[in-house]
PDB file of all heavy atoms in Angstrom:
ATOM      1  N   ALA A  46     116.829  95.486  79.967  1.00 74.00           N
ATOM      2  CA  ALA A  46     116.208  96.776  79.681  1.00 74.00           C
ATOM      3  C   ALA A  46     116.643  97.817  80.712  1.00 74.00           C
ATOM      4  O   ALA A  46     117.081  97.484  81.812  1.00 74.00           O
ATOM      5  CB  ALA A  46     114.687  96.623  79.708  1.00 74.00           C
ATOM      6  N   ARG A  47     116.462  99.071  80.344  1.00 77.00           N
ATOM      7  CA  ARG A  47     116.751 100.157  81.284  1.00 77.00           C
ATOM      8  C   ARG A  47     115.789 100.050  82.458  1.00 77.00           C
ATOM      9  O   ARG A  47     114.656  99.622  82.307  1.00 77.00           O
ATOM     10  CB  ARG A  47     116.599 101.505  80.585  1.00 77.00           C
ATOM     11  CG  ARG A  47     117.705 101.756  79.577  1.00 77.00           C
ATOM     12  CD  ARG A  47     117.541 103.074  78.846  1.00 77.00           C
ATOM     13  NE  ARG A  47     117.427 104.219  79.722  1.00 77.00           N
ATOM     14  CZ  ARG A  47     118.444 104.832  80.341  1.00 77.00           C
ATOM     15  NH1 ARG A  47     119.663 104.395  80.175  1.00 77.00           N
ATOM     16  NH2 ARG A  47     118.236 105.881  81.100  1.00 77.00           N
ATOM     17  N   ASP A  48     116.262 100.452  83.632  1.00 80.00           N
ATOM     18  CA  ASP A  48     115.427 100.359  84.827  1.00 80.00           C
ATOM     19  C   ASP A  48     115.326 101.716  85.512  1.00 80.00           C
ATOM     20  O   ASP A  48     115.840 102.721  85.040  1.00 80.00           O
ATOM     21  CB  ASP A  48     115.964  99.277  85.781  1.00 80.00           C
ATOM     22  CG  ASP A  48     117.330  99.595  86.364  1.00 80.00           C
ATOM     23  OD1 ASP A  48     117.909 100.654  86.057  1.00 80.00           O
ATOM     24  OD2 ASP A  48     117.839  98.772  87.144  1.00 80.00           O
ATOM     25  N   TRP A  49     114.654 101.712  86.653  1.00 80.00           N
ATOM     26  CA  TRP A  49     114.430 102.928  87.429  1.00 80.00           C
ATOM     27  C   TRP A  49     115.754 103.610  87.772  1.00 80.00           C
ATOM     28  O   TRP A  49     115.862 104.832  87.711  1.00 80.00           O
ATOM     29  CB  TRP A  49     113.667 102.538  88.703  1.00 80.00           C
ATOM     30  CG  TRP A  49     113.347 103.679  89.615  1.00 80.00           C
ATOM     31  CD1 TRP A  49     112.229 104.448  89.595  1.00 80.00           C
ATOM     32  CD2 TRP A  49     114.159 104.170  90.689  1.00 80.00           C
ATOM     33  NE1 TRP A  49     112.281 105.390  90.584  1.00 80.00           N
ATOM     34  CE2 TRP A  49     113.469 105.245  91.275  1.00 80.00           C
ATOM     35  CE3 TRP A  49     115.394 103.810  91.207  1.00 80.00           C
ATOM     36  CZ2 TRP A  49     113.971 105.959  92.346  1.00 80.00           C
ATOM     37  CZ3 TRP A  49     115.897 104.533  92.280  1.00 80.00           C
ATOM     38  CH2 TRP A  49     115.188 105.594  92.835  1.00 80.00           C
ATOM     39  N   THR A  50     116.759 102.821  88.134  1.00 79.00           N
ATOM     40  CA  THR A  50     118.061 103.377  88.510  1.00 79.00           C
ATOM     41  C   THR A  50     118.717 104.076  87.330  1.00 79.00           C
ATOM     42  O   THR A  50     119.300 105.153  87.491  1.00 79.00           O
ATOM     43  CB  THR A  50     118.974 102.277  89.082  1.00 79.00           C
ATOM     44  OG1 THR A  50     118.323 101.678  90.206  1.00 79.00           O
ATOM     45  CG2 THR A  50     120.318 102.835  89.523  1.00 79.00           C
ATOM     46  N   ASP A  51     118.623 103.497  86.140  1.00 80.00           N
ATOM     47  CA  ASP A  51     119.171 104.164  84.948  1.00 80.00           C
ATOM     48  C   ASP A  51     118.528 105.529  84.759  1.00 80.00           C
ATOM     49  O   ASP A  51     119.215 106.519  84.487  1.00 80.00           O
ATOM     50  CB  ASP A  51     118.923 103.321  83.683  1.00 80.00           C
ATOM     51  CG  ASP A  51     119.750 102.059  83.638  1.00 80.00           C
ATOM     52  OD1 ASP A  51     120.914 102.090  84.096  1.00 80.00           O
ATOM     53  OD2 ASP A  51     119.230 101.041  83.144  1.00 80.00           O
ATOM     54  N   GLU A  52     117.213 105.584  84.884  1.00 82.00           N
ATOM     55  CA  GLU A  52     116.489 106.846  84.706  1.00 82.00           C
ATOM     56  C   GLU A  52     116.926 107.872  85.755  1.00 82.00           C
ATOM     57  O   GLU A  52     117.168 109.031  85.432  1.00 82.00           O
ATOM     58  CB  GLU A  52     114.972 106.612  84.797  1.00 82.00           C
ATOM     59  CG  GLU A  52     114.422 105.644  83.777  1.00 82.00           C
ATOM     60  CD  GLU A  52     114.580 106.114  82.341  1.00 82.00           C
ATOM     61  OE1 GLU A  52     114.540 107.343  82.094  1.00 82.00           O
ATOM     62  OE2 GLU A  52     114.758 105.257  81.458  1.00 82.00           O
ATOM     63  N   LEU A  53     117.036 107.444  86.993  1.00 82.00           N
ATOM     64  CA  LEU A  53     117.448 108.343  88.069  1.00 82.00           C
ATOM     65  C   LEU A  53     118.860 108.866  87.840  1.00 82.00           C
ATOM     66  O   LEU A  53     119.117 110.068  87.949  1.00 82.00           O
ATOM     67  CB  LEU A  53     117.379 107.624  89.419  1.00 82.00           C
ATOM     68  CG  LEU A  53     117.862 108.427  90.623  1.00 82.00           C
ATOM     69  CD1 LEU A  53     116.904 109.569  90.924  1.00 82.00           C
ATOM     70  CD2 LEU A  53     118.010 107.513  91.832  1.00 82.00           C
ATOM     71  N   LEU A  54     119.772 107.978  87.508  1.00 81.00           N
ATOM     72  CA  LEU A  54     121.162 108.391  87.326  1.00 81.00           C
ATOM     73  C   LEU A  54     121.340 109.271  86.095  1.00 81.00           C
ATOM     74  O   LEU A  54     122.196 110.163  86.092  1.00 81.00           O
ATOM     75  CB  LEU A  54     122.083 107.177  87.280  1.00 81.00           C
ATOM     76  CG  LEU A  54     122.160 106.406  88.603  1.00 81.00           C
ATOM     77  CD1 LEU A  54     123.048 105.181  88.457  1.00 81.00           C
ATOM     78  CD2 LEU A  54     122.640 107.294  89.740  1.00 81.00           C
ATOM     79  N   ASP A  55     120.536 109.059  85.065  1.00 82.00           N
ATOM     80  CA  ASP A  55     120.578 109.970  83.913  1.00 82.00           C
ATOM     81  C   ASP A  55     120.224 111.390  84.338  1.00 82.00           C
ATOM     82  O   ASP A  55     120.849 112.359  83.896  1.00 82.00           O
ATOM     83  CB  ASP A  55     119.610 109.508  82.817  1.00 82.00           C
ATOM     84  CG  ASP A  55     120.158 108.358  81.998  1.00 82.00           C
ATOM     85  OD1 ASP A  55     121.357 108.028  82.150  1.00 82.00           O
ATOM     86  OD2 ASP A  55     119.384 107.780  81.208  1.00 82.00           O
ATOM     87  N   LYS A  56     119.237 111.505  85.196  1.00 82.00           N
ATOM     88  CA  LYS A  56     118.857 112.836  85.697  1.00 82.00           C
ATOM     89  C   LYS A  56     119.971 113.440  86.540  1.00 82.00           C
ATOM     90  O   LYS A  56     120.245 114.638  86.465  1.00 82.00           O
ATOM     91  CB  LYS A  56     117.555 112.739  86.484  1.00 82.00           C
ATOM     92  CG  LYS A  56     116.370 112.415  85.597  1.00 82.00           C
ATOM     93  CD  LYS A  56     115.109 112.200  86.403  1.00 82.00           C
ATOM     94  CE  LYS A  56     113.991 111.764  85.454  1.00 82.00           C
ATOM     95  NZ  LYS A  56     112.807 111.377  86.180  1.00 82.00           N
ATOM     96  N   TRP A  57     120.605 112.611  87.367  1.00 84.00           N
ATOM     97  CA  TRP A  57     121.701 113.115  88.204  1.00 84.00           C
ATOM     98  C   TRP A  57     122.887 113.571  87.354  1.00 84.00           C
ATOM     99  O   TRP A  57     123.590 114.504  87.714  1.00 84.00           O
ATOM    100  CB  TRP A  57     122.153 112.057  89.209  1.00 84.00           C
ATOM    101  CG  TRP A  57     121.408 112.182  90.507  1.00 84.00           C
ATOM    102  CD1 TRP A  57     120.393 111.402  90.946  1.00 84.00           C
ATOM    103  CD2 TRP A  57     121.622 113.168  91.516  1.00 84.00           C
ATOM    104  NE1 TRP A  57     119.956 111.841  92.170  1.00 84.00           N
ATOM    105  CE2 TRP A  57     120.698 112.931  92.548  1.00 84.00           C
ATOM    106  CE3 TRP A  57     122.495 114.244  91.641  1.00 84.00           C
ATOM    107  CZ2 TRP A  57     120.629 113.709  93.688  1.00 84.00           C
ATOM    108  CZ3 TRP A  57     122.431 115.019  92.792  1.00 84.00           C
ATOM    109  CH2 TRP A  57     121.506 114.747  93.789  1.00 84.00           C
ATOM    110  N   THR A  58     123.142 112.883  86.260  1.00 81.00           N
ATOM    111  CA  THR A  58     124.300 113.270  85.439  1.00 81.00           C
ATOM    112  C   THR A  58     124.059 114.580  84.706  1.00 81.00           C
ATOM    113  O   THR A  58     124.994 115.140  84.133  1.00 81.00           O
ATOM    114  CB  THR A  58     124.688 112.159  84.437  1.00 81.00           C
ATOM    115  OG1 THR A  58     123.572 111.850  83.603  1.00 81.00           O
ATOM    116  CG2 THR A  58     125.179 110.933  85.172  1.00 81.00           C
ATOM    117  N   ASP A  59     122.833 115.096  84.773  1.00 84.00           N
ATOM    118  CA  ASP A  59     122.591 116.446  84.267  1.00 84.00           C
ATOM    119  C   ASP A  59     123.187 117.487  85.210  1.00 84.00           C
ATOM    120  O   ASP A  59     123.484 118.606  84.794  1.00 84.00           O
ATOM    121  CB  ASP A  59     121.085 116.715  84.120  1.00 84.00           C
ATOM    122  CG  ASP A  59     120.456 115.922  82.992  1.00 84.00           C
ATOM    123  OD1 ASP A  59     121.209 115.432  82.115  1.00 84.00           O
ATOM    124  OD2 ASP A  59     119.219 115.791  82.979  1.00 84.00           O
ATOM    125  N   VAL A  60     123.359 117.131  86.490  1.00 87.00           N
ATOM    126  CA  VAL A  60     123.857 118.097  87.474  1.00 87.00           C
ATOM    127  C   VAL A  60     125.161 117.676  88.135  1.00 87.00           C
ATOM    128  O   VAL A  60     125.784 118.476  88.833  1.00 87.00           O
ATOM    129  CB  VAL A  60     122.789 118.376  88.566  1.00 87.00           C
ATOM    130  CG1 VAL A  60     121.567 119.047  87.967  1.00 87.00           C
ATOM    131  CG2 VAL A  60     122.409 117.112  89.308  1.00 87.00           C
ATOM    132  N   ARG A  61     125.583 116.438  87.943  1.00 83.00           N
ATOM    133  CA  ARG A  61     126.839 115.937  88.512  1.00 83.00           C
ATOM    134  C   ARG A  61     127.593 115.198  87.412  1.00 83.00           C
ATOM    135  O   ARG A  61     126.980 114.613  86.522  1.00 83.00           O
ATOM    136  CB  ARG A  61     126.592 114.955  89.670  1.00 83.00           C
ATOM    137  CG  ARG A  61     125.756 115.467  90.820  1.00 83.00           C
ATOM    138  CD  ARG A  61     126.359 116.540  91.655  1.00 83.00           C
ATOM    139  NE  ARG A  61     127.703 116.239  92.084  1.00 83.00           N
ATOM    140  CZ  ARG A  61     128.561 117.142  92.516  1.00 83.00           C
ATOM    141  NH1 ARG A  61     128.208 118.408  92.580  1.00 83.00           N
ATOM    142  NH2 ARG A  61     129.749 116.803  92.904  1.00 83.00           N
ATOM    143  N   PRO A  62     128.903 115.153  87.490  1.00 80.00           N
ATOM    144  CA  PRO A  62     129.664 114.406  86.483  1.00 80.00           C
ATOM    145  C   PRO A  62     129.288 112.916  86.485  1.00 80.00           C
ATOM    146  O   PRO A  62     129.107 112.308  87.535  1.00 80.00           O
ATOM    147  CB  PRO A  62     131.118 114.583  86.930  1.00 80.00           C
ATOM    148  CG  PRO A  62     131.115 115.787  87.808  1.00 80.00           C
ATOM    149  CD  PRO A  62     129.758 115.837  88.452  1.00 80.00           C
ATOM    150  N   ARG A  63     129.161 112.349  85.294  1.00 78.00           N
ATOM    151  CA  ARG A  63     128.756 110.939  85.146  1.00 78.00           C
ATOM    152  C   ARG A  63     129.675 110.016  85.941  1.00 78.00           C
ATOM    153  O   ARG A  63     129.213 109.093  86.604  1.00 78.00           O
ATOM    154  CB  ARG A  63     128.757 110.553  83.669  1.00 78.00           C
ATOM    155  CG  ARG A  63     128.308 109.122  83.433  1.00 78.00           C
ATOM    156  CD  ARG A  63     128.084 108.818  81.964  1.00 78.00           C
ATOM    157  NE  ARG A  63     126.971 109.547  81.386  1.00 78.00           N
ATOM    158  CZ  ARG A  63     125.682 109.207  81.512  1.00 78.00           C
ATOM    159  NH1 ARG A  63     125.362 108.139  82.198  1.00 78.00           N
ATOM    160  NH2 ARG A  63     124.735 109.920  80.958  1.00 78.00           N
ATOM    161  N   GLN A  64     130.965 110.257  85.885  1.00 82.00           N
ATOM    162  CA  GLN A  64     131.917 109.397  86.583  1.00 82.00           C
ATOM    163  C   GLN A  64     131.684 109.416  88.092  1.00 82.00           C
ATOM    164  O   GLN A  64     131.829 108.399  88.767  1.00 82.00           O
ATOM    165  CB  GLN A  64     133.347 109.825  86.260  1.00 82.00           C
ATOM    166  CG  GLN A  64     134.387 108.886  86.789  1.00 82.00           C
ATOM    167  CD  GLN A  64     135.786 109.293  86.334  1.00 82.00           C
ATOM    168  OE1 GLN A  64     135.997 110.371  85.806  1.00 82.00           O
ATOM    169  NE2 GLN A  64     136.745 108.412  86.566  1.00 82.00           N
ATOM    170  N   GLU A  65     131.294 110.567  88.623  1.00 80.00           N
ATOM    171  CA  GLU A  65     131.013 110.678  90.053  1.00 80.00           C
ATOM    172  C   GLU A  65     129.797 109.844  90.455  1.00 80.00           C
ATOM    173  O   GLU A  65     129.703 109.365  91.582  1.00 80.00           O
ATOM    174  CB  GLU A  65     130.767 112.153  90.388  1.00 80.00           C
ATOM    175  CG  GLU A  65     130.697 112.468  91.844  1.00 80.00           C
ATOM    176  CD  GLU A  65     130.545 113.959  92.068  1.00 80.00           C
ATOM    177  OE1 GLU A  65     131.494 114.712  91.755  1.00 80.00           O
ATOM    178  OE2 GLU A  65     129.465 114.353  92.542  1.00 80.00           O
ATOM    179  N   MET A  66     128.882 109.651  89.537  1.00 81.00           N
ATOM    180  CA  MET A  66     127.647 108.925  89.824  1.00 81.00           C
ATOM    181  C   MET A  66     127.788 107.415  89.599  1.00 81.00           C
ATOM    182  O   MET A  66     126.900 106.651  89.956  1.00 81.00           O
ATOM    183  CB  MET A  66     126.502 109.468  88.963  1.00 81.00           C
ATOM    184  CG  MET A  66     126.227 110.953  89.156  1.00 81.00           C
ATOM    185  SD  MET A  66     126.050 111.468  90.882  1.00 81.00           S
ATOM    186  CE  MET A  66     124.626 110.558  91.380  1.00 81.00           C
ATOM    187  N   GLU A  67     128.889 106.972  89.049  1.00 83.00           N
ATOM    188  CA  GLU A  67     129.092 105.563  88.700  1.00 83.00           C
ATOM    189  C   GLU A  67     128.859 104.582  89.857  1.00 83.00           C
ATOM    190  O   GLU A  67     128.235 103.535  89.645  1.00 83.00           O
ATOM    191  CB  GLU A  67     130.492 105.381  88.112  1.00 83.00           C
ATOM    192  CG  GLU A  67     130.724 104.045  87.491  1.00 83.00           C
ATOM    193  CD  GLU A  67     129.886 103.797  86.237  1.00 83.00           C
ATOM    194  OE1 GLU A  67     129.519 104.758  85.548  1.00 83.00           O
ATOM    195  OE2 GLU A  67     129.587 102.624  85.982  1.00 83.00           O
ATOM    196  N   PRO A  68     129.315 104.853  91.083  1.00 85.00           N
ATOM    197  CA  PRO A  68     129.081 103.887  92.172  1.00 85.00           C
ATOM    198  C   PRO A  68     127.603 103.577  92.399  1.00 85.00           C
ATOM    199  O   PRO A  68     127.236 102.480  92.822  1.00 85.00           O
ATOM    200  CB  PRO A  68     129.682 104.556  93.412  1.00 85.00           C
ATOM    201  CG  PRO A  68     130.663 105.532  92.869  1.00 85.00           C
ATOM    202  CD  PRO A  68     130.124 105.984  91.540  1.00 85.00           C
ATOM    203  N   TYR A  69     126.749 104.541  92.067  1.00 86.00           N
ATOM    204  CA  TYR A  69     125.315 104.352  92.288  1.00 86.00           C
ATOM    205  C   TYR A  69     124.706 103.328  91.330  1.00 86.00           C
ATOM    206  O   TYR A  69     123.621 102.827  91.580  1.00 86.00           O
ATOM    207  CB  TYR A  69     124.574 105.688  92.183  1.00 86.00           C
ATOM    208  CG  TYR A  69     124.976 106.640  93.281  1.00 86.00           C
ATOM    209  CD1 TYR A  69     125.889 107.659  93.032  1.00 86.00           C
ATOM    210  CD2 TYR A  69     124.475 106.496  94.567  1.00 86.00           C
ATOM    211  CE1 TYR A  69     126.277 108.524  94.041  1.00 86.00           C
ATOM    212  CE2 TYR A  69     124.857 107.359  95.583  1.00 86.00           C
ATOM    213  CZ  TYR A  69     125.760 108.372  95.307  1.00 86.00           C
ATOM    214  OH  TYR A  69     126.138 109.217  96.305  1.00 86.00           O
ATOM    215  N   GLN A  70     125.423 103.000  90.260  1.00 85.00           N
ATOM    216  CA  GLN A  70     124.956 101.921  89.388  1.00 85.00           C
ATOM    217  C   GLN A  70     124.817 100.635  90.216  1.00 85.00           C
ATOM    218  O   GLN A  70     123.933  99.832  89.964  1.00 85.00           O
ATOM    219  CB  GLN A  70     125.944 101.690  88.227  1.00 85.00           C
ATOM    220  CG  GLN A  70     125.955 102.756  87.179  1.00 85.00           C
ATOM    221  CD  GLN A  70     124.709 102.720  86.303  1.00 85.00           C
ATOM    222  OE1 GLN A  70     123.985 101.729  86.242  1.00 85.00           O
ATOM    223  NE2 GLN A  70     124.461 103.820  85.630  1.00 85.00           N
TER     224      GLN A  70
END
Side-chain angles (χ1 to χ4, degrees):
R47 289 178 55 79
D48 65 0
W49 180 90
T50 302
D51 290 324
E52 301 297 328
L53 177 69
L54 294 178
D55 282 350
K56 292 175 185 173
W57 269 103
T58 57
D59 290 342
V60 295
R61 304 292 311 161
R63 182 170 294 280
Q64 188 175 11
E65 190 176 293
M66 302 310 297
E67 191 67 27
Y69 295 100
Q70 288 287 342

